[in-house]
Short mmCIF file of all heavy atoms in Angstrom, two decimals:
data_model
loop_
_atom_site.label_atom_id
_atom_site.label_comp_id
_atom_site.label_asym_id
_atom_site.label_seq_id
_atom_site.Cartn_x
_atom_site.Cartn_y
_atom_site.Cartn_z
N ALA A 1 84.73 80.73 90.90
CA ALA A 1 84.05 80.33 92.14
C ALA A 1 82.91 79.33 91.85
O ALA A 1 82.61 78.54 92.76
CB ALA A 1 83.54 81.52 92.88
N TRP A 2 82.30 79.39 90.69
CA TRP A 2 81.34 78.40 90.49
C TRP A 2 81.61 77.37 89.37
O TRP A 2 80.73 76.67 88.80
CB TRP A 2 79.95 79.13 90.00
CG TRP A 2 80.15 80.05 88.94
CD1 TRP A 2 80.11 79.83 87.62
CD2 TRP A 2 80.09 81.61 89.17
NE1 TRP A 2 80.19 81.09 87.03
CE2 TRP A 2 80.19 82.06 87.78
CE3 TRP A 2 80.00 82.43 90.19
CZ2 TRP A 2 80.26 83.48 87.62
CZ3 TRP A 2 80.12 83.75 90.06
CH2 TRP A 2 80.25 84.27 88.77
N SER A 3 82.92 77.24 89.01
CA SER A 3 83.30 76.34 87.86
C SER A 3 84.36 75.38 88.38
O SER A 3 84.66 74.33 87.67
CB SER A 3 83.81 77.11 86.75
OG SER A 3 84.92 77.93 87.05
N THR A 4 84.97 75.58 89.53
CA THR A 4 85.96 74.56 90.01
C THR A 4 85.76 74.36 91.56
O THR A 4 85.32 75.34 92.15
CB THR A 4 87.38 75.03 89.86
OG1 THR A 4 87.71 76.14 90.70
CG2 THR A 4 87.70 75.42 88.31
N PRO A 5 85.95 73.21 92.08
CA PRO A 5 85.87 72.94 93.52
C PRO A 5 86.63 73.91 94.35
O PRO A 5 86.26 74.43 95.42
CB PRO A 5 86.29 71.54 93.68
CG PRO A 5 86.11 70.91 92.32
CD PRO A 5 86.42 71.94 91.34
N ALA A 6 87.87 74.15 94.01
CA ALA A 6 88.74 75.11 94.72
C ALA A 6 88.20 76.56 94.77
O ALA A 6 88.19 77.23 95.74
CB ALA A 6 90.24 75.16 94.21
N GLY A 7 87.72 76.87 93.55
CA GLY A 7 87.11 78.24 93.42
C GLY A 7 85.88 78.37 94.30
O GLY A 7 85.63 79.36 94.97
N PHE A 8 85.10 77.23 94.31
CA PHE A 8 83.83 77.26 95.15
C PHE A 8 84.22 77.40 96.65
O PHE A 8 83.50 78.23 97.44
CB PHE A 8 82.93 76.13 94.89
CG PHE A 8 81.72 75.97 95.75
CD1 PHE A 8 80.62 76.67 95.43
CD2 PHE A 8 81.69 75.18 96.78
CE1 PHE A 8 79.43 76.58 96.16
CE2 PHE A 8 80.58 75.18 97.68
CZ PHE A 8 79.49 75.89 97.33
N GLY A 9 85.21 76.58 96.99
CA GLY A 9 85.72 76.75 98.41
C GLY A 9 86.21 78.02 98.81
O GLY A 9 85.91 78.47 100.01
N ARG A 10 86.93 78.72 97.99
CA ARG A 10 87.40 79.99 98.26
C ARG A 10 86.23 81.00 98.35
O ARG A 10 86.27 81.96 99.16
CB ARG A 10 88.55 80.48 97.35
CG ARG A 10 89.20 81.70 97.67
CD ARG A 10 89.72 81.87 99.14
NE ARG A 10 90.91 80.83 99.17
CZ ARG A 10 92.17 81.10 98.94
NH1 ARG A 10 92.53 82.41 98.63
NH2 ARG A 10 93.07 80.15 99.12
N GLY A 11 85.31 80.86 97.44
CA GLY A 11 84.16 81.76 97.44
C GLY A 11 83.42 81.62 98.72
O GLY A 11 82.95 82.66 99.39
N ALA A 12 83.16 80.38 99.24
CA ALA A 12 82.51 80.13 100.50
C ALA A 12 83.30 80.86 101.68
O ALA A 12 82.73 81.43 102.58
CB ALA A 12 82.38 78.76 100.77
N LYS A 13 84.67 80.59 101.66
CA LYS A 13 85.48 81.18 102.69
C LYS A 13 85.30 82.67 102.64
O LYS A 13 85.27 83.35 103.77
CB LYS A 13 86.94 80.77 102.45
CG LYS A 13 87.92 81.27 103.53
CD LYS A 13 89.32 80.67 103.21
CE LYS A 13 90.30 81.13 104.30
NZ LYS A 13 91.63 80.47 104.01
N PHE A 14 85.31 83.30 101.57
CA PHE A 14 85.17 84.73 101.39
C PHE A 14 83.87 85.20 101.92
O PHE A 14 83.86 86.17 102.73
CB PHE A 14 85.35 85.26 99.91
CG PHE A 14 84.91 86.64 99.57
CD1 PHE A 14 85.72 87.61 100.05
CD2 PHE A 14 83.70 86.85 98.96
CE1 PHE A 14 85.40 88.94 99.74
CE2 PHE A 14 83.40 88.28 98.74
CZ PHE A 14 84.14 89.26 99.12
N VAL A 15 82.78 84.58 101.67
CA VAL A 15 81.42 84.91 102.09
C VAL A 15 81.38 84.81 103.68
O VAL A 15 80.93 85.71 104.31
CB VAL A 15 80.31 84.05 101.40
CG1 VAL A 15 79.09 84.12 102.24
CG2 VAL A 15 80.23 84.30 100.03
N PHE A 16 81.89 83.72 104.19
CA PHE A 16 81.94 83.63 105.70
C PHE A 16 82.86 84.68 106.38
O PHE A 16 82.49 85.11 107.39
CB PHE A 16 82.43 82.18 106.05
CG PHE A 16 81.46 81.10 105.87
CD1 PHE A 16 81.67 79.98 105.01
CD2 PHE A 16 80.22 81.26 106.56
CE1 PHE A 16 80.70 79.03 104.89
CE2 PHE A 16 79.24 80.21 106.38
CZ PHE A 16 79.51 79.12 105.49
N ARG A 17 83.94 85.08 105.69
CA ARG A 17 84.76 86.18 106.20
C ARG A 17 83.97 87.42 106.29
O ARG A 17 84.01 88.15 107.23
CB ARG A 17 85.96 86.27 105.41
CG ARG A 17 86.95 87.31 105.88
CD ARG A 17 88.12 87.62 104.89
NE ARG A 17 88.81 86.42 104.45
CZ ARG A 17 89.26 86.24 103.18
NH1 ARG A 17 89.13 87.30 102.31
NH2 ARG A 17 89.87 85.15 102.91
N ALA A 18 83.29 87.67 105.06
CA ALA A 18 82.54 88.92 104.95
C ALA A 18 81.39 88.97 106.13
O ALA A 18 81.21 89.88 106.84
CB ALA A 18 81.89 89.07 103.61
N LEU A 19 80.62 87.85 106.22
CA LEU A 19 79.60 87.75 107.12
C LEU A 19 80.02 87.85 108.62
O LEU A 19 79.44 88.49 109.49
CB LEU A 19 78.81 86.44 107.05
CG LEU A 19 77.93 86.27 105.75
CD1 LEU A 19 77.39 85.01 105.58
CD2 LEU A 19 76.81 87.40 105.69
N GLY A 20 81.28 87.26 108.84
CA GLY A 20 81.90 87.29 110.17
C GLY A 20 82.07 88.73 110.57
O GLY A 20 81.91 89.07 111.68
N GLY A 21 82.52 89.50 109.65
CA GLY A 21 82.85 90.86 109.95
C GLY A 21 81.65 91.67 110.19
O GLY A 21 81.60 92.40 111.17
N VAL A 22 80.54 91.34 109.47
CA VAL A 22 79.27 92.07 109.68
C VAL A 22 78.62 91.73 111.06
O VAL A 22 78.25 92.58 111.78
CB VAL A 22 78.26 91.71 108.53
CG1 VAL A 22 76.84 92.15 108.90
CG2 VAL A 22 78.69 92.23 107.28
N VAL A 23 78.74 90.43 111.41
CA VAL A 23 78.17 89.98 112.78
C VAL A 23 79.00 90.75 113.91
O VAL A 23 78.39 91.11 114.91
CB VAL A 23 78.29 88.44 112.84
CG1 VAL A 23 78.05 87.93 114.33
CG2 VAL A 23 77.37 87.75 111.90
N ARG A 24 80.28 90.84 113.62
CA ARG A 24 81.04 91.53 114.72
C ARG A 24 81.06 93.13 114.76
O ARG A 24 81.71 93.65 115.43
CB ARG A 24 82.54 91.06 114.66
CG ARG A 24 82.78 89.62 114.92
CD ARG A 24 84.29 89.28 114.99
NE ARG A 24 84.86 89.47 113.84
CZ ARG A 24 85.06 88.68 112.80
NH1 ARG A 24 84.56 87.44 112.87
NH2 ARG A 24 85.77 88.90 111.71
N GLY A 25 80.25 93.55 113.75
CA GLY A 25 80.10 95.03 113.64
C GLY A 25 81.43 95.73 112.97
O GLY A 25 81.58 96.86 113.16
N GLN A 26 82.10 94.91 112.23
CA GLN A 26 83.23 95.40 111.69
C GLN A 26 83.10 95.74 110.08
O GLN A 26 82.16 95.15 109.45
CB GLN A 26 84.39 94.35 111.74
CG GLN A 26 84.81 94.02 113.24
CD GLN A 26 85.90 92.93 113.21
OE1 GLN A 26 86.05 92.09 112.34
NE2 GLN A 26 86.60 92.96 114.30
N ARG A 27 83.90 96.60 109.59
CA ARG A 27 83.92 96.87 108.16
C ARG A 27 85.25 96.36 107.58
O ARG A 27 86.25 97.11 107.48
CB ARG A 27 83.77 98.30 107.88
CG ARG A 27 83.60 98.71 106.38
CD ARG A 27 83.29 100.18 106.23
NE ARG A 27 84.34 101.02 106.90
CZ ARG A 27 84.02 102.09 107.54
NH1 ARG A 27 82.87 102.61 107.68
NH2 ARG A 27 85.00 102.87 108.08
N LEU A 28 85.34 95.03 107.38
CA LEU A 28 86.66 94.41 106.97
C LEU A 28 86.99 94.86 105.57
O LEU A 28 86.24 94.96 104.58
CB LEU A 28 86.49 92.84 107.04
CG LEU A 28 86.33 92.31 108.31
CD1 LEU A 28 86.19 90.77 108.24
CD2 LEU A 28 87.49 92.65 109.33
N THR A 29 88.26 95.35 105.42
CA THR A 29 88.77 95.89 104.34
C THR A 29 90.16 95.28 103.93
O THR A 29 91.04 95.21 104.72
CB THR A 29 88.99 97.40 104.50
OG1 THR A 29 87.78 98.07 104.96
CG2 THR A 29 89.38 98.17 103.19
N GLY A 30 90.25 94.78 102.73
CA GLY A 30 91.44 94.17 102.22
C GLY A 30 92.01 94.89 101.04
O GLY A 30 91.80 95.92 100.75
N ILE A 31 92.88 94.22 100.36
CA ILE A 31 93.72 94.57 99.19
C ILE A 31 94.36 95.96 99.46
O ILE A 31 94.82 96.32 100.56
CB ILE A 31 93.06 94.46 97.89
CG1 ILE A 31 91.59 95.18 97.90
CG2 ILE A 31 92.84 93.00 97.64
CD1 ILE A 31 91.01 95.06 96.48
N GLY A 32 94.29 96.78 98.47
CA GLY A 32 95.03 98.15 98.62
C GLY A 32 94.39 99.10 99.62
O GLY A 32 95.08 99.72 100.39
N ALA A 33 93.03 99.10 99.72
CA ALA A 33 92.41 99.89 100.77
C ALA A 33 92.75 99.32 102.20
O ALA A 33 92.91 100.21 103.09
CB ALA A 33 90.94 99.90 100.57
N GLY A 34 92.91 98.11 102.34
CA GLY A 34 93.28 97.56 103.63
C GLY A 34 94.68 97.84 103.95
O GLY A 34 95.14 98.26 105.11
N LEU A 35 95.62 97.86 102.95
CA LEU A 35 97.05 98.21 103.11
C LEU A 35 97.05 99.66 103.59
O LEU A 35 97.79 100.10 104.56
CB LEU A 35 97.89 98.02 101.96
CG LEU A 35 99.41 98.44 102.07
CD1 LEU A 35 100.09 97.66 103.11
CD2 LEU A 35 100.10 98.14 100.68
N ALA A 36 96.46 100.56 102.84
CA ALA A 36 96.48 102.08 103.17
C ALA A 36 95.81 102.27 104.59
O ALA A 36 96.30 103.07 105.42
CB ALA A 36 95.64 102.80 102.18
N THR A 37 94.74 101.53 104.86
CA THR A 37 94.07 101.60 106.21
C THR A 37 95.06 101.21 107.30
O THR A 37 95.14 101.90 108.47
CB THR A 37 92.76 100.81 106.32
OG1 THR A 37 91.82 101.34 105.39
CG2 THR A 37 92.15 100.82 107.63
N SER A 38 95.81 100.12 107.13
CA SER A 38 96.75 99.58 108.09
C SER A 38 97.91 100.64 108.34
O SER A 38 98.26 100.84 109.41
CB SER A 38 97.33 98.24 107.65
OG SER A 38 96.25 97.31 107.61
N PHE A 39 98.32 101.23 107.19
CA PHE A 39 99.37 102.18 107.33
C PHE A 39 98.84 103.43 108.21
O PHE A 39 99.60 103.98 109.02
CB PHE A 39 99.73 102.68 106.02
CG PHE A 39 101.08 102.01 105.43
CD1 PHE A 39 101.08 101.37 104.25
CD2 PHE A 39 102.22 101.86 106.17
CE1 PHE A 39 102.19 100.83 103.73
CE2 PHE A 39 103.34 101.29 105.69
CZ PHE A 39 103.34 100.71 104.46
N LEU A 40 97.65 103.86 107.80
CA LEU A 40 97.19 105.06 108.57
C LEU A 40 96.95 104.78 110.07
O LEU A 40 97.36 105.60 110.95
CB LEU A 40 95.84 105.52 107.94
CG LEU A 40 95.34 106.76 108.56
CD1 LEU A 40 95.05 107.90 107.59
CD2 LEU A 40 94.04 106.61 109.45
N ARG A 41 96.50 103.57 110.40
CA ARG A 41 96.44 103.21 111.79
C ARG A 41 97.76 103.25 112.55
O ARG A 41 97.85 103.69 113.62
CB ARG A 41 95.79 101.75 111.94
CG ARG A 41 94.32 101.79 111.62
CD ARG A 41 93.57 100.62 112.35
NE ARG A 41 94.35 99.33 112.25
CZ ARG A 41 93.89 98.22 112.71
NH1 ARG A 41 92.75 98.17 113.35
NH2 ARG A 41 94.65 97.09 112.66
N ALA A 42 98.75 102.77 111.78
CA ALA A 42 100.14 102.59 112.39
C ALA A 42 100.80 103.99 112.47
O ALA A 42 101.44 104.20 113.48
CB ALA A 42 100.93 101.64 111.59
#
């Protein structure tokens, strides 16, 4: 994230995604925990 332009860009995208969730009052959850959560909801 701090050694290549693409890494920095993805890091910024990740931060904005996290902040966006906080602003909307959401607890955004990805990877395996997100998959399990999606399954439980469904």
Side-chain angles (χ1 to χ4, degrees):
W2 53 77
S3 57
T4 70
F8 180 82
R10 184 58 63 92
K13 185 176 181 180
F14 169 74
V15 169
F16 284 123
R17 185 192 305 148
L19 291 176
V22 171
V23 168
R24 294 190 297 271
Q26 299 177 334
R27 186 175 57 219
L28 292 179
T29 307
I31 56 175
L35 177 59
T37 298
S38 295
F39 264 129
L40 186 123
R41 287 204 317 182

